[in-house]
Amino acid sequence: MSNLDFSKSIDEAALIVGKTWPLYSFVTSNPLAGYEESTFEQAIKQASENLGGFTLPSGRMFRQAWQNEEIDSKVLQDLLVDAKFKEQPEFYLNKLEVEKPELKKNPNHILDTVLTKWLNVFLDEGIAEWEMPNKEMGFYSAWRGLAIHDQEIGVKSVKEIPETANEALALVLNTYSVSQQIAIFKYHIAALPGYTGYIKYRMTENSVWQAKYPISLEDYLAVRLWIAKHINSQIIVENNAVEQISEINKIKYIWLKAWEKTYQLKLVKDFKLAKLKSDQSIVEENTPLAQLVFCIDSRSELIRRQIEAQNNYETFGYAGFFGLATDYQDLNTGYVRKSCPPIVASAYKITECANGDNDNALLNYKRNQADYKFADFLTTRMKNMLPSAFGYVEGTGIFYGFRLLARTIFPSFDSKINRQISAGHEQICETEIHPNTQDESHLTDVTLNEKVAIVKSAFDLLGWRKFAPIVVFVGHGSHSANNPFASSLDCGACAASPGRHNARMLAKMANLTEVRKVLSVEFNIHIPEKTIFIGAEHDTTTDGILLFDNEVSNAHKEKVRLLKLDLVVVQENTIAARSGMIVHDIKKAFKKSSNWAETRPEWGLARNAGFIIGPRQLTQHIDLNSRCFLHSYNWELDENGTSLETIMQGPMVVTQWINNHYYFSTVDNEKFGGGSKITHNVVGKFGVVQGNGGDLKLGLPLQSVNTKDQELFHQPLRLSVVIQSPIGSVKEILERNANLKGLLQNEWIYLLVMDPLLDNQTYAYQTNGSWSLINEKETNLAIAV
C-alpha cells in the first residue's frame, strides 16, 4: 500500500493547461489561465516550452496587418528604438517572414494513441451504443478491469496492475524526486492538453457525468504512466528550454505591442471626434418610445446603432446573464445547464411552467416533443444496433436520400421546422426562479428582498433612472446547422447558453408590483405604472429580434406592434451593413444560418479588441465595427464606485477570457484552436478531434478566425479596456483587488481611463502602477483613421 500523496504536485502541474469545455457548453476562456500570475511575455514563453506551438502572431500575420495599415509606422519605430533595434520596420518584417515552424517528432505517439482510445470510451456521453463496463467505479478502476483485453498494452493478468491509482503512481515514480515528479506530471498532462483540460472541467464544474462516472487527473496520470513504464515509453524528458526569449520573439512582441497601441490611439481619437459631434448635436430630453438592453457582446454594437437610427429608441449594454446567478432547467429534457458566467456560483435555478390557461397547450407541446424524441431515439437505435443496422440502412436509404437532398437544396425549410418546435413553448410558458438546491421535490420561491436586489443591481450597473413605456431585456443566441461549436456562438456571459431565459426572468421580476413598491419606497427608484418590461432574444446569425410578449396587456399591444415593425427594418439594415451591401434579403441570411454546408454561419466575437465602460453618449457617434464590448455605466450615479468595481471584477475578467480565447486560437490554430472544420469528428458528444484521432481541440475552428486558410479575419490583440470615470475611483478599486491589478501589471489587459472631471483626458495604466497621459500629439497617427 502507498502512503504517498501526489495531489499537491498534480495540482501544480495542472496549471499548465486550461479547461476544455464540452461542445454543448463551449465557453470561451483563456487557455493559459494558469499562467496569469506571470507577465504575458513570461507566460507565453513558459507555455511554448510546456505545450509547444506558437504564442505570438507569425510574420505573415504582421505582414497582413502592416499592409492593411493597422500598425502605425511611427508607433512601431519608437518601440523598436526603445528596444535597441535600429533597422527599419521592413527589415524586421522580412526577418519574421523567414521563420519556419520546427517540426518535432512525438516520442510518445503510441502512448497517446492508447490513452485517447481509453479516454474516448470512458468519457463518452451517449454516442456509443455499448458502454464501457464498470464506469461508475471511476476511470482507473474501470480501465484496470479491462486492460488485459488491450493487445497494445500486453497485460496477461489484472494482478500485474496496482489496485489503486496512487499505488500505480508510487510504483512508477519511486526513484524520482518531488521536483522531477512535477516535471513528469507536466510533461504527460501537456501531451494531451485537450483531454486533460476536459478532465479539469469535469472535476471542477459539477458535471452530471462526473458525478456518475468519476475521473481525475490522478487517474489519468496513473493509467498513462503505468502503461508508459510497461511498454517502455518515455517517462521524463530533459528540459531544453532557452533561458532568454529569442531575438525573433522579442521582435514579434514589439510588433504586437505596436499593433495594440495603434488600435488604442485610434480609439482615443475616435472618442475625441465623437465628442465634437455630440457637442454639436441637439439632444431632446423627451422620453424614448422604448429602451432596449442588450448584452455587452460585440455583436450587439451594430444592431444598437441601427435601432437608435430607426426611431426614438434608447439602447443599453449589460452582461447578458442580466445579473442572475442562475442555472436553467430545460423544459424538454429536464437537463440543468449553467446560465451565468463560469466564475460565478449559481445561486438560483430558472424553470418554466404554463402561464395563464395554457396547461393544455403545454401538455400538447410536451407530447409532441416526446414523439419527436422517441422517433429520434428509435432511428438512432436502429442504425446503431448490430442486428438491425444493415437492414435498416438499406430499407430507409431512399427516405434518407430524399431528406439529405431536401436539406441541401432547401436548407431553411428543415431548419425552420426545428426552430418553431424548439421555440414553441416560449409563448405558452412563463419563467420561475428558485433557490438552487439538490432537492428537486421541494422548489421554494425566491424572497422579495432577493428579487428587489437583483432588479436594483441591474438598474445601478446600467446607471438607469428614466424609464420608457416599453423596456426590453434582449438576451442573445445563435442558430446554425451542422455546427459542433454552435454553443460558442451563444452568450459567453451565460456559460455558452442562450440568454433568453435570464432576460425573461429579469423582465418578470421588474414587472412585479411588490418589487416596484420596494424600489420606490426604499431606494427612490420610481418605475412609471405604464412601463412594462419584456424579455427578448437577438438571433446573432440573422439579426432578428424575437419579443416574448405573450403576457403584454392590451394597453401596450399597439406600441409593441409598432416596435416589431421597426425591428424588421432594423434587421434588414443590420444585415445589409454587416455584409457591406446597400440592401440584403433576410431570407438569404436565414438560409445561410440553415445551410449545413456553411462553415461560417456567423463570425461570433471575431475581431473583438476593446471593452468600453461608460454611458451610451460616449460611443453613440462612433462606428466601432463590432469590435468592442459595451457596458453601460454612469459614474455620477456611482458614488462609492461599487457598480464599477462589480463590472471590473465580473464582465471585465470574462471579456479577457473571450479575448484571449480568440487570440490564441488565431496565433496557433492547430495547437490552441479547433483546426479546420472540414475534417472534424465529434467524440462522445463532448469534443472534437481532427480526422480520425489525436487530442481534443481546445479552441475555435480556423473558419471562425480566418477568411481563408492564410488570411486573418480576427486581429490577435490583447483586450484594451476604456472606462469613463474619475481616475481616483479606479485607483481605489485596483488597490482593493490584487487580482485585477495583477491582470493589468502582467499585461493580460490594457486599461485606459477617461476622466470626466478633467475634460475626459485619457490616461493609460502602466505596468509599474503609474498612469501616463495620452496627449493630442500621440493620437495624430500617420495612418488614416
Side-chain angles (χ1 to χ4, degrees):
M1 296 289 290
S2 169
N3 293 318
L4 297 176
D5 185 1
F6 298 101
S7 58
K8 186 177 179 180
S9 296
I10 292 173
D11 289 344
E12 181 179 336
L15 292 175
I16 69 170
V17 297
K19 292 178 187 175
T20 306
W21 293 74
L23 290 176
Y24 45 80
S25 183
F26 200 73
V27 174
T28 45
S29 59
N30 183 2
L32 303 190
Y35 300 81
E36 286 177 357
E37 291 187 3
S38 302
T39 68
F40 182 82
E41 196 170 7
Q42 292 169 342
I44 59 176
K45 177 177 179 289
Q46 293 166 9
S48 292
E49 293 168 2
N50 290 324
L51 302 173
F54 294 100
T55 51
L56 287 166
S58 66
R60 173 182 51 78
M61 295 175 186
F62 287 126
R63 171 68 70 183
Q64 182 180 321
W66 182 250
Q67 291 176 341
N68 291 341
E69 296 190 327
E70 294 162 4
I71 302 174
D72 183 74
S73 58
K74 185 179 185 308
V75 170
L76 175 59
Q77 191 72 60
D78 288 346
L79 289 174
L80 286 169
V81 170
D82 289 344
K84 306 288 191 294
F85 290 101
K86 299 179 181 179
E87 302 292 340
Q88 292 299 308
E90 192 69 34
F91 171 85
Y92 297 108
L93 188 55
N94 290 335
K95 195 169 185 176
L96 294 182
E97 288 184 301
V98 172
E99 180 196 30
K100 293 182 179 179
E102 182 183 353
L103 298 176
K104 295 182 179 179
K105 186 177 180 180
N106 179 7
N108 278 336
H109 173 71
I110 295 175
L111 180 61
D112 288 346
T113 302
V114 174
L115 258 293
T116 55
K117 173 179 64 182
W118 283 101
L119 288 168
N120 286 340
V121 295
F122 182 86
L123 294 170
D124 176 77
E125 296 182 5
I127 283 184
E129 187 64 33
W130 294 340
E131 280 194 351
M132 177 183 181
N134 302 318
K135 286 170 62 175
E136 67 281 356
M137 296 171 61
F139 179 59
Y140 182 84
S141 296
W143 164 80
R144 180 176 180 268
L146 296 172
I148 58 173
H149 303 291
D150 189 340
Q151 294 181 359
E152 289 183 282
I153 301 176
V155 180
K156 296 180 180 179
S157 169
V158 71
K159 294 180 180 179
E160 295 179 40
I161 307 174
E163 290 188 8
T164 68
N166 184 269
E167 290 173 350
L169 289 175
L171 177 68
V172 177
L173 301 174
N174 58 6
T175 61
Y176 297 99
S177 67
V178 172
S179 61
Q180 287 177 315
Q181 290 172 7
I182 294 173
I184 291 169
F185 292 154
K186 284 184 177 181
Y187 173 66
H188 289 277
I189 287 173
L192 296 171
Y195 279 102
T196 52
Y198 186 58
I199 294 170
K200 281 185 72 171
Y201 163 83
R202 286 267 298 249
M203 291 170 63
T204 57
E205 296 300 324
N206 298 319
S207 161
V208 173
W209 290 95
Q210 177 71 0
K212 193 172 182 181
Y213 308 123
I215 185 172
S216 67
L217 286 174
E218 182 182 32
D219 285 350
Y220 161 82
L221 288 166
V223 172
R224 182 181 178 93
L225 290 172
W226 190 90
I227 294 174
K229 183 177 177 67
H230 186 75
I231 65 174
N232 296 316
S233 190
Q234 202 163 14
I235 299 291
I236 192 170
V237 292
E238 295 296 326
N239 185 4
N240 296 317
V242 179
E243 290 299 321
Q244 300 295 326
I245 194 167
S246 70
E247 184 182 56
I248 288 291
N249 279 352
K250 283 183 179 179
I251 296 170
K252 279 187 175 184
Y253 195 61
I254 291 169
W255 275 79
L256 175 63
K257 293 196 68 118
W259 197 354
E260 292 164 336
K261 188 171 183 180
T262 301
Y263 174 76
Q264 293 164 5
L265 293 177
K266 287 178 66 177
L267 200 56
V268 172
K269 186 168 186 176
D270 281 341
F271 283 129
K272 292 181 184 295
L273 295 174
K275 187 176 185 301
L276 292 175
K277 292 180 183 177
S278 180
D279 291 344
Q280 294 168 3
S281 63
I282 300 174
V283 180
E284 298 181 10
E285 288 297 328
N286 57 330
T287 302
L289 296 173
Q291 295 164 316
L292 296 94
V293 183
F294 285 83
C295 180
I296 64 174
D297 191 293
S298 58
R299 288 168 291 182
S300 302
E301 187 261 332
L302 175 58
I303 199 167
R304 287 179 62 181
R305 281 192 282 114
Q306 298 297 330
I307 286 171
E308 292 162 349
Q310 179 64 25
N311 212 323
N312 181 24
Y313 297 129
E314 189 175 21
T315 71
F316 297 83
Y318 187 39
F321 74 112
F322 294 103
L324 288 162
T326 185
D327 291 338
Y328 165 71
Q329 185 168 31
D330 190 280
L331 180 69
N332 302 319
T333 65
Y335 292 157
V336 176
R337 287 182 57 179
K338 198 169 182 64
S339 193
C340 63
I343 59 175
V344 176
S346 300
Y348 305 107
K349 180 163 67 177
I350 292 175
T351 60
E352 292 174 304
C353 64
N355 60 36
D357 299 322
N358 281 320
D359 284 318
N360 289 334
L362 179 59
L363 183 61
N364 289 332
Y365 170 79
K366 285 189 172 183
R367 284 173 178 166
N368 289 336
Q369 282 292 313
D371 290 343
Y372 279 107
K373 285 167 66 177
F374 178 74
D376 182 63
F377 166 78
L378 183 62
T379 55
T380 301
R381 289 280 292 182
M382 292 294 286
K383 282 191 296 181
N384 291 348
M385 288 177 67
L386 194 59
S388 61
F390 296 104
Y392 177 80
V393 171
E394 285 190 15
T396 59
I398 295 176
F399 166 77
Y400 272 98
F402 278 119
R403 185 168 184 198
L404 291 176
L405 191 63
R407 290 188 68 184
T408 304
I409 300 175
F410 309 108
S412 57
F413 177 75
D414 188 69
S415 177
K416 187 175 182 180
I417 293 174
N418 290 332
R419 290 193 198 196
Q420 288 175 343
I421 292 170
S422 63
H425 72 273
E426 301 285 1
Q427 299 302 325
I428 57 176
C429 291
E430 62 177 306
T431 53
E432 292 186 331
I433 190 167
H434 316 275
N436 207 353
T437 175
Q438 299 298 320
D439 184 5
E440 298 292 332
S441 62
H442 185 63
L443 293 176
T444 58
D445 195 13
V446 173
T447 66
L448 175 59
N449 287 341
E450 288 176 283
K451 292 175 182 176
V452 169
I454 290 169
V455 176
K456 180 180 180 298
S457 176
F459 295 167
D460 286 345
L461 290 181
L462 289 163
W464 199 3
R465 288 296 183 269
K466 181 177 70 175
F467 300 93
I470 297 174
V471 178
V472 186
F473 295 118
V474 189
H476 65 95
S478 176
H479 296 88
S480 55
N482 191 31
N483 182 11
F485 291 93
S487 69
S488 70
L489 299 174
D490 284 333
C491 182
C494 299
S497 295
R500 62 178 175 269
H501 314 296
N502 298 51
R504 295 179 72 199
M505 194 66 245
L506 181 59
K508 181 177 180 178
M509 288 191 285
N511 281 328
L512 293 173
T513 303
E514 58 270 31
V515 168
R516 295 187 181 200
K517 183 176 180 181
V518 175
L519 289 173
S520 177
V521 173
E522 296 188 15
F523 301 105
N524 201 31
I525 299 175
H526 305 291
I527 303 173
E529 187 177 338
K530 293 183 179 180
T531 292
I532 186 169
F533 295 87
I534 303 172
E537 181 174 76
H538 170 208
D539 183 339
T540 54
T541 319
T542 65
D543 283 305
I545 295 178
L546 174 65
L547 301 182
F548 303 126
D549 59 331
N550 55 308
E551 298 178 71
V552 169
S553 66
N554 291 330
H556 288 87
K557 283 189 175 178
E558 179 59 18
K559 292 186 178 70
V560 171
R561 186 185 71 83
L562 295 174
L563 173 59
K564 286 182 176 180
L565 292 176
D566 275 345
L567 291 178
V568 173
V569 179
V570 165
Q571 182 182 16
E572 292 173 342
N573 293 341
T574 305
I575 292 170
R578 203 180 294 284
S579 64
M581 300 171 64
I582 297 175
V583 294
H584 199 289
D585 191 347
I586 290 176
K587 290 182 179 179
K588 289 182 180 178
F590 187 84
K591 185 176 181 180
K592 183 177 181 180
S593 74
S594 308
N595 188 346
W596 68 340
E598 177 59 59
T599 57
R600 296 180 180 90
E602 63 155 280
W603 280 111
L605 293 116
R607 291 175 63 83
N608 77 83
F611 180 24
I612 300 169
I613 303 169
R616 180 58 174 154
Q617 294 90 324
L618 201 65
T619 57
Q620 199 160 15
H621 297 284
I622 307 176
D623 180 354
L624 294 166
N625 295 305
S626 299
R627 299 195 65 187
C628 291
F629 303 93
L630 300 177
H631 201 303
S632 297
Y633 172 70
N634 188 337
W635 66 273
E636 293 179 288
L637 298 178
D638 187 26
E639 293 182 8
N640 301 318
T642 305
S643 295
L644 179 58
E645 187 167 6
T646 299
I647 296 170
M648 292 175 71
Q649 287 176 329
M652 190 175 84
V653 173
V654 172
T655 52
Q656 180 261 144
W657 279 17
I658 295 170
N659 173 266
N660 274 304
H661 195 94
Y662 274 85
Y663 172 93
F664 287 106
S665 290
T666 302
V667 297
D668 193 335
N669 193 257
E670 283 302 316
K671 175 59 67 174
F672 298 107
S676 175
K677 284 185 174 182
I678 297 170
T679 53
H680 277 174
N681 274 314
V682 175
V683 175
K685 290 188 178 180
F686 61 86
V688 157
V689 296
Q690 200 85 59
N692 64 353
D695 192 20
L696 290 184
K697 305 311 289 184
L698 299 172
L700 298 160
L702 181 71
Q703 288 80 5
S704 293
V705 293
N706 277 23
T707 53
K708 299 176 183 176
D709 285 357
Q710 301 296 320
E711 185 176 307
L712 292 180
F713 181 78
H714 178 71
Q715 296 178 9
L717 309 178
R718 283 169 288 180
L719 188 70
S720 294
V721 179
V722 181
I723 301 174
Q724 187 190 51
S725 167
I727 197 167
S729 297
V730 178
K731 288 179 178 177
E732 290 175 5
I733 290 170
L734 293 179
E735 287 305 313
R736 292 195 296 266
N737 292 271
N739 62 315
L740 295 180
K741 186 188 287 188
L743 288 173
L744 296 173
Q745 292 186 342
N746 290 331
E747 294 191 297
W748 292 94
I749 301 176
Y750 292 107
L751 178 60
L752 308 176
V753 173
M754 299 176 65
D755 194 328
L757 300 179
L758 298 172
D759 195 30
N760 276 340
Q761 288 189 119
T762 305
Y763 296 83
Y765 186 84
Q766 306 299 306
T767 56
N768 62 4
S770 65
W771 295 84
S772 172
L773 175 65
I774 297 177
N775 58 48
E776 191 79 27
K777 185 177 179 181
E778 284 185 278
T779 60
N780 292 328
L781 302 171
I783 62 177
V785 176

